[in-house]
Amino acid sequence: MEMSARTIVAGNWKMHTEAGTANALLDALVAWSAANPGHVSMVVAPPFPFLGMAVEKAGSAGSVIIAAQNCHQEEQGAFTGEVGVPMLRSIGVQACIVGHSERRQYYGEHDAIIARKIKMLLKHGLQPIYCCGENREERESGRFREVVADQIRKALGGLVPAEIAKLVVAYEPVWAIGTGLTATPEQAAEMHAFIRAELCQLAGGVAKEVPVLYGGSCKPENATGIFRGDEVNGGLIGGAALVADTFLELVRIAGAVKQH
Ligand code: PEP
């Protein structure tokens, strides 16, 4: 199932929460979502052990989409400790983050592996949330556009337009993730327009509808300006997704900014 709205606010919980805190956070998000049906899709990516519980809770409201934070590129096999896409599908997970900079940096994931993960997700009907973005050195040296274009071409270049149309893309400048630094609204708007153009080169007109989210220390204090960018279709939120009120404030801001 795909996200119904083009404006999306997604929360990546990373390796945070335990059963009790995950339970409480999910309850708050699902309750708010049920009471406030709107034109923003809320996506929640808890750690693997809480995905089953999350799907169950979200199912009762039907408006929160549950995503995994990672998956393996093979269908199944002797890969101790890994999680396959068919497993995720079998419990009702609908989407999966791929190519997050922490996976690239700490687990050596590169775009060739990411491309295979995306194929596997699409094969099983899960929506990939593909992350790209330059690091600090690449931003400061001015090479950031080439870096992001290269990531996109390597990870998505093997897809046909109909597959690209099923993606969500997140622009996440690595220098802004978890650092408290954030892209200015102008920097975000420029890169989102650039990413849109790259996607259109690969896939033509269908790429105009692909949601492109901003991620990197996004919080209520800076979200309005960033979300105003024409090609910014919402946010992928890390730290600020761990507090229900803060995350819901970001959902409200995205809804207000994108309403007109
Ligand atoms: C992320 O990890 O996707 C992210 C955007 O994190 P943070 O909001 O904490 O910078």
Side-chain angles (χ1 to χ4, degrees):
M1 192 200 292
E2 283 162 40
M3 293 159 210
S4 55
R6 185 153 175 258
T7 303
I8 297 166
V9 177
N12 171 13
W13 294 5
K14 310 193 184 189
M15 200 174 76
H16 294 294
T17 70
E18 294 182 6
T21 44
N23 189 58
L25 190 45
L26 285 163
D27 279 345
L29 303 185
V30 168
W32 187 89
S33 171
N36 297 277
H39 51 282
V40 178
S41 286
M42 192 194 293
V43 179
V44 181
F48 285 129
F50 310 133
L51 282 174
M53 170 173 80
V55 168
E56 228 165 83
K57 285 179 187 285
S60 57
S63 45
V64 178
I65 291 154
I66 303 303
Q69 297 175 19
N70 182 34
C71 62
H72 198 269
Q73 61 272 23
E74 297 287 343
E75 208 130 41
Q76 61 171 319
F79 301 107
T80 301
E82 290 293 330
V83 173
V85 176
M87 294 173 192
L88 297 171
R89 186 198 51 196
S90 72
I91 62 162
V93 171
Q94 295 174 7
C96 182
I97 298 171
V98 270
H100 191 279
S101 61
E102 288 152 15
R103 301 281 328 163
R104 293 176 191 260
Q105 188 180 345
Y106 304 132
Y107 303 98
E109 270 183 30
H110 48 76
D111 284 295
I113 292 176
I114 294 164
R116 292 177 59 201
K117 292 187 178 196
I118 291 173
K119 279 272 186 200
M120 190 57 70
L121 287 164
L122 291 171
K123 177 176 176 190
H124 291 284
L126 274 77
Q127 192 160 23
I129 303 172
Y130 169 67
C131 303
C132 56
E134 80 283 1
N135 65 28
R136 188 181 199 132
E137 187 274 308
E138 292 157 345
R139 166 64 57 173
E140 286 171 356
S141 69
R143 290 191 298 121
F144 52 96
R145 290 182 204 84
E146 290 109 276
V147 168
V148 171
D150 190 57
Q151 289 172 342
I152 289 174
R153 282 179 208 153
K154 285 190 176 134
L156 311 183
L159 302 177
V160 298
E163 291 174 317
I164 291 187
K166 294 194 169 116
L167 305 178
V168 172
V169 173
Y171 170 57
E172 298 213 304
V174 181
W175 48 272
I177 294 181
T179 57
L181 296 173
T182 191
T184 64
E186 294 72 26
Q187 287 171 324
E190 194 236 318
M191 282 310 284
H192 279 244
F194 178 79
I195 288 167
R196 175 79 59 212
E198 286 295 319
L199 293 173
C200 286
Q201 266 201 11
L202 286 179
V206 293
K208 290 194 183 134
E209 297 305 315
V210 171
V212 183
L213 314 183
Y214 169 81
S217 297
C218 196
K219 24 186 194 289
E221 301 84 286
N222 58 30
T224 305
I226 292 172
F227 289 168
R228 277 202 184 117
D230 283 343
E231 301 295 350
V232 180
N233 306 116
L236 177 53
I237 317 298
L242 293 169
V243 178
D245 284 349
T246 314
F247 184 66
L248 292 172
E249 185 57 21
L250 287 162
V251 176
R252 276 191 287 267
I253 292 171
V257 169
K258 294 298 177 189
Q259 199 156 30
H260 305 295

